[in-house]
Amino acid sequence: PLLSIYKRPVFLVVFFANLITFCVCFLKWDFHHFFKWSILFKLVDFGGLLFGRLIGGPKLTRISPKKTWSGVFGGMFLFFIGYILIEEYLDDALNILDLFFIVFLVVVGDLFVSYIKRKFNVKDLFALDVVDSIVFPYIYVMFKKGLIW
């Protein structure tokens, strides 16, 4: 049953969207920028997990019942702290609205993959669970920097 997800068109679309995004990132950016932004995006996930478990509170959505509003704000907090710490090394500072939108895209990406997993009754999508939340923000940051389109 677990391997049957790999035959589904939705899985293939999500998988290849991830693959194409990462290939474009590697071709357009140097590794250091890619790595720094990856850390920032994953800070939102880590903050969500950490603060969501420590504080708890109201659920964010039925799509992913373990996600809470405290987790979203905790992820946002860690993202902003991380951004402040490494901003001078990014060479591509963004305005505050862009940063809030990036946090939003991280959460939406995570919820999108959670929705697909629930729809197809799959517990684990292996590598996609690691990169689920960073594809949408990568596309946005690359667009803002003029690396695509």
Side-chain angles (χ1 to χ4, degrees):
L2 180 61
L3 293 178
S4 66
I5 186 68
Y6 298 112
K7 297 176 185 174
R8 306 276 175 120
V10 173
F11 171 80
L12 294 175
V13 168
V14 171
F15 176 77
F16 284 111
N18 280 295
L19 184 63
I20 290 168
T21 301
F22 289 115
C23 288
V24 169
C25 284
F26 278 124
L27 292 173
K28 297 283 189 172
W29 263 345
D30 60 27
F31 177 74
H32 292 66
H33 275 81
F34 181 79
F35 183 70
K36 290 169 191 170
W37 278 107
S38 296
I39 289 172
L40 287 173
F41 299 154
K42 292 315 283 181
L43 279 174
V44 178
D45 274 349
F46 179 70
L49 177 69
L50 180 68
F51 287 91
R53 292 228 173 133
L54 288 176
I55 298 171
K59 303 300 179 197
L60 182 63
T61 177
R62 287 181 295 173
I63 294 172
S64 190
K66 291 184 180 179
K67 291 183 181 30
T68 63
W69 282 103
S70 62
V72 170
F73 291 116
M76 187 182 307
F77 173 74
L78 279 188
F79 173 81
F80 279 105
I81 295 296
Y83 186 80
I84 289 167
L85 291 175
I86 68 170
E87 177 184 17
E88 65 184 80
Y89 303 108
L90 288 175
D91 296 331
D92 49 8
L94 296 172
N95 67 45
I96 191 77
L97 292 176
D98 287 329
L99 298 178
F100 276 111
F101 191 62
I102 287 169
V103 171
F104 171 76
L105 289 175
V106 170
V107 173
V108 167
D110 196 16
L111 290 173
F112 176 70
V113 173
S114 293
Y115 172 76
I116 289 173
K117 287 173 19 180
R118 296 234 185 287
K119 183 155 179 66
F120 293 105
N121 198 22
V122 174
K123 214 45 171 150
D124 189 11
L125 284 178
F126 304 109
L128 287 183
D129 281 333
V130 175
V131 298
D132 58 357
S133 58
I134 63 178
V135 171
F136 294 149
Y138 265 128
I139 293 169
Y140 181 72
V141 170
M142 289 184 358
F143 175 74
K144 287 296 284 187
K145 298 297 156 200
L147 297 174
I148 53 176
W149 287 285

